[in-house]
Amino acid sequence: MTSFYEQAGAARLAALSLATLTRAEKDAALLAMAGLLECSEALVLAANAEDVSRGRAGGLDDALIDRLALTPARVQAMAQGLRDLARLDDPVGEVVRGWTLANGVRIQQVRVPIGVIGIIYEARPNVTADAAGICLKAGNAALLRGSSTALESNKAIVEILQAALLSAGVPEAGVQLVEGGHEVTDEMMRARGLVDLLIPRGGASLIQAVVTGSQVPVIETGTGNCHLFIDQSADVAMALTIAVNAKAQRPSVCNALETVLVERTIAAGVVPRLVDAMTQAGVRVHGDAAAMALDSRIDEAADWDDEHLSLDLRVAVVDGLDAAMAFIRAHGSGHSETIVTNDLARANRFTAGVDAACVLVNASSRFVDGGQFGFGAEIGISTQKMHARGPMALPEMTTTKYVVSGDGQVRE
Amino acid sequence: MTSFYEQAGAARLAALSLATLTRAEKDAALLAMAGLLECSEALVLAANAEDVSRGRAGGLDDALIDRLALTPARVQAMAQGLRDLARLDDPVGEVVRGWTLANGVRIQQVRVPIGVIGIIYEARPNVTADAAGICLKAGNAALLRGSSTALESNKAIVEILQAALLSAGVPEAGVQLVEGGHEVTDEMMRARGLVDLLIPRGGASLIQAVVTGSQVPVIETGTGNCHLFIDQSADVAMALTIAVNAKAQRPSVCNALETVLVERTIAAGVVPRLVDAMTQAGVRVHGDAAAMALDSRIDEAADWDDEHLSLDLRVAVVDGLDAAMAFIRAHGSGHSETIVTNDLARANRFTAGVDAACVLVNASSRFVDGGQFGFGAEIGISTQKMHARGPMALPEMTTTKYVVSGDGQVRE
């Protein structure tokens, strides 16, 4: 097996070529990847069946098996994702801004690829094709560190993608699978100068381990302990509709709602209606003492900091806008925070004062998503403040350089 | 003495207030800081005299004493710097982009402060006022970790700045000096969640220690091993003028030139003229064997990776554009790289292919500077790819948030 350092060296060389590919060349490679994935469907499914049976034998639970398992439709979706990427604008070469100095020196800030991006991810093998495609379209080489549970699937997918790259005249080392034990993840995290950026995609413990342990810059994604505050001026029916959608439309994702905060002056009327609506949607409601006193169907919330990622919701009664904002400051993860209100001043105070990647007024947090935002692709939702914050798409997978042009000017 | 964690907690609270100050409030605070600094000049100079005499007794060399020593003119310059900041546009609240989804949900990406920024810097006490002012104007709280050699100066300056903040109704914990031994720097680097960003300003070893040791996101600044390639099509007189300016106009800074690469086909004519011009400017020339063979005044270069930061220059003979780009890849620090050429295709290949914060064509790398770029302020020059690259000014001291507004929309 090739060592990680050999792989990273090959990725750096490949990145040099990828950085100056034209859009047409990158799109041709993406279409070749999509085509070869489709006609190699049987190969991918056979490799995936090995992973699934090994997973079952090893005692993986049904939810993990479901995330691991590929079907013809899922392979088709991977191919379609690559074709969709080919239709998106190339972020590389965009002139972000430009101006001319008094002495005639011209300055342009131009979008360029980042270089080598490492993705560390868990069971879902479709991330392999997604991440490879997004990195390629933005001119970056990808080092894909998938989970050992999906090893055979990932190997098959990467082999197919590499063959497609070769057929399109693009260096195959632009997309590589990084294999090996946990020590390889450690090598990736220490690879300053070889790897430009690490993106962990997966559960909170994976993300925390990478974020605190890496010497390579990291983009933190994914943890969403999201709140919705029902202000005393809110249209309560609207608030309940938004809360049910944000909680139950897809509870396993990071932009799903975890906690509803109800202003005390309206709590007696609102909390029982909230429990009615949630119960009807199959959601179990937990709460603080004040909420429990208003509705006996609410049991005590054990923790206010975790994501449920399930059909569970917490409800707390708060004294007003400032108390709601303090609650969010204490427990939020900086992902998506919502107010439902008809009071303009309060809406403005909430959006200005809450420190999160996304703040929402009278809309469901389920809209916080690269696809919903119209980005056409998404590599994750950043909850950090540096480089990118919120849904990340192709431009967030680039950096910029300044191109300074003169006619011999020197500094006085 | 207050512990670092108490200081950081106070900074977080202050940052909450700073984030929603209006431009007028921030500018009033900056002008108050400038005014109080000026009328407290005697206080600052007395404190500085203590540092200088302690420094001399401790054996600091003349260059360090010069960086440490304040004069009435330098105190005046600090005050003027704060006044200049008050005239710059407020980056906070800028709507970077905005759009409306098909369902009527409105999305705006808005610039907001980062929060708490730690600056770790070396001897020059003027950084204290500069960094505090830039952080404040961008709505951030500043934790200033100055050098122990400048402790009395920094204490005096921060006391004055805090008194000015109080007089302007701004929380004084928005600007704090962090005192203590090396363990405090370690605490800053582990303070994830308390500190949002660390910026080291100083020598290469300080920067490397912070960049590799910090769990808090860091912006890497400053190291510039800058090259200039004289292409065979270059106007040689222009090349020499640019090279002398880039090397000698101010050799101690990061955008100064360190190495000239000369294309082999023109080297016999160019190298002696280069040595003439450099010698006349007081620059010592070191080189590779090929350069030494062309001019006996060149001695052997010991190292190709260091910044001289002095009137020393290296020269190497290379086989052409690709060799020059490979040389820069091997030895450059990703700061500023220059080509002098009259060949358009080669200029384009150089600017596209060289991976650096700034690439220059026919202009001096001394222009790579926030002031020269017209930014009006600079906190350093980033040589990293994440968040900010190149000269960093007020917008780079912010992040963004998405504000999503609807009328009750939910996701289908």
Side-chain angles (χ1 to χ4, degrees), chain A residues 30-317:
Chain A
L30 288 165
L31 296 178
M33 287 156 73
L36 202 56
L37 255 184
E38 275 181 340
C39 64
S40 313
E41 182 189 295
L43 233 142
V44 174
L45 293 178
N48 184 250
E50 282 185 59
D51 286 331
V52 168
S53 70
R54 189 161 36 88
R56 282 199 208 282
L60 285 191
D61 66 30
D62 285 350
L64 281 174
I65 291 287
D66 178 61
R67 292 167 72 184
L68 175 58
L70 292 176
T71 59
R74 286 184 174 179
V75 175
Q76 174 58 43
M78 281 194 253
Q80 190 53 47
L82 295 166
R83 290 206 177 91
D84 291 345
L85 279 169
R87 277 197 293 271
L88 293 177
D89 286 345
D90 188 344
V92 174
E94 183 198 344
V95 178
V96 177
R97 52 182 177 160
W99 65 101
T100 302
L101 303 184
N103 61 9
V105 167
R106 301 171 296 284
I107 300 176
Q108 289 195 316
Q109 188 179 18
V110 182
R111 246 180 228 298
V112 296
I114 289 172
V116 177
I117 299 182
I119 319 270
I120 302 178
Y121 57 105
E122 292 180 334
R124 294 191 302 150
N126 61 312
V127 172
T128 306
D130 277 8
I134 288 176
C135 287
L136 174 67
K137 179 81 187 211
N140 300 296
L143 289 172
L144 303 169
R145 169 69 176 154
S147 155
S148 60
T149 53
L151 183 61
E152 297 306 322
S153 315
N154 289 337
K155 278 164 72 172
I157 293 167
V158 169
E159 260 177 52
I160 291 163
L161 299 182
Q162 289 184 329
L165 289 177
L166 263 185
S167 77
V170 172
E172 57 176 344
V175 174
Q176 294 178 71
L177 187 68
V178 175
E179 298 178 48
H182 284 296
E183 73 286 354
V184 176
T185 311
D186 292 340
E187 287 174 339
M188 283 181 93
M189 296 198 297
R190 286 194 307 266
R192 269 191 89 81
L194 279 173
V195 178
D196 295 298
L197 170 64
L198 283 183
I199 304 178
R201 287 183 62 169
S205 67
L206 167 72
I207 290 168
Q208 274 312 301
V210 176
V211 154
T212 57
S214 180
Q215 296 184 5
V216 173
V218 175
I219 294 185
E220 187 173 356
T221 63
T223 313
N225 184 18
C226 305
H227 300 75
L228 179 149
F229 171 54
I230 307 180
D231 176 73
Q232 62 181 12
S233 73
D235 172 335
V236 175
M238 181 200 287
L240 299 182
T241 305
I242 290 174
V244 168
N245 182 261
K247 175 71 255 177
Q249 199 249 355
R250 194 169 171 207
S252 65
V253 292
C254 59
N255 61 18
L257 179 64
E258 305 296 351
T259 302
V260 170
L261 306 172
V262 183
E263 185 152 11
R264 193 173 306 278
T265 50
I266 57 166
V270 170
V271 168
R273 288 175 64 188
L274 177 68
V275 179
D276 287 346
M278 288 293 167
T279 306
Q280 207 163 2
V283 177
R284 294 167 292 275
V285 183
H286 320 282
D288 65 358
M292 290 165 71
L294 292 173
D295 195 306
S296 63
R297 293 168 294 178
I298 301 176
D299 66 6
E300 192 179 352
D303 185 313
W304 297 86
D305 294 315
D306 273 7
E307 283 184 279
H308 294 109
L309 302 173
S310 61
L311 286 171
D312 290 271
L313 178 82
R314 292 179 290 251
V315 57
V317 176

Side-chain angles (χ1 to χ4, degrees), chain A residues 12 16 20 97 99 101 103 105 107 112 114 192 196-197 211-212 215 217 220 238 241-242 245 249 329 351-352 354 356-364 366-367 369 372-373 375 385-387 389 391 396 399-412, chain B residues 12 16 20 97 99 101 103 105 107 112 114 192 196-197 211-212 215 217 220 238 241-242 245 249 329 351-352 354 356-364 366-367 369 372-373 375 385-387 389 391 396 399-412:
Chain A
R12 278 237 80 81
L16 280 178
T20 52
R97 52 182 177 160
W99 65 101
L101 303 184
N103 61 9
V105 167
I107 300 176
V112 296
I114 289 172
R192 269 191 89 81
D196 295 298
L197 170 64
V211 154
T212 57
Q215 296 184 5
E220 187 173 356
M238 181 200 287
T241 305
I242 290 174
N245 182 261
Q249 199 249 355
R329 207 151 53 235
T351 56
V354 170
C358 296
V359 283
L360 299 102
V361 181
N362 299 343
S364 168
R366 291 282 296 119
F367 288 121
D369 171 276
Q372 294 291 314
F373 271 29
F375 293 166
K385 296 178 181 178
M386 296 292 105
H387 188 70
R389 199 179 194 200
E396 287 74 21
T399 180
T400 61
K401 69 165 64 153
Y402 285 106
V403 178
V404 179
S405 312
D407 319 285
Q409 285 90 338
V410 298
R411 186 157 163 190
E412 301 295 314
Chain B
R12 278 238 79 82
L16 279 179
T20 53
R97 51 181 176 160
W99 66 101
L101 302 185
N103 61 8
V105 167
I107 300 176
V112 296
I114 290 172
R192 269 191 89 82
D196 295 297
L197 170 64
V211 154
T212 56
Q215 295 183 6
E220 186 174 358
M238 181 200 285
T241 305
I242 291 174
N245 181 261
Q249 199 250 353
R329 206 151 52 236
T351 55
V354 170
C358 298
V359 284
L360 300 101
V361 181
N362 299 342
S364 168
R366 290 282 296 118
F367 288 121
D369 171 276
Q372 295 290 314
F373 271 29
F375 293 166
K385 296 178 180 177
M386 294 294 104
H387 188 71
R389 198 180 193 199
E396 286 76 19
T399 180
T400 60
K401 71 165 63 150
Y402 286 105
V403 178
V404 179
S405 312
D407 319 286
Q409 286 90 339
V410 297
R411 187 158 163 189
E412 301 295 314

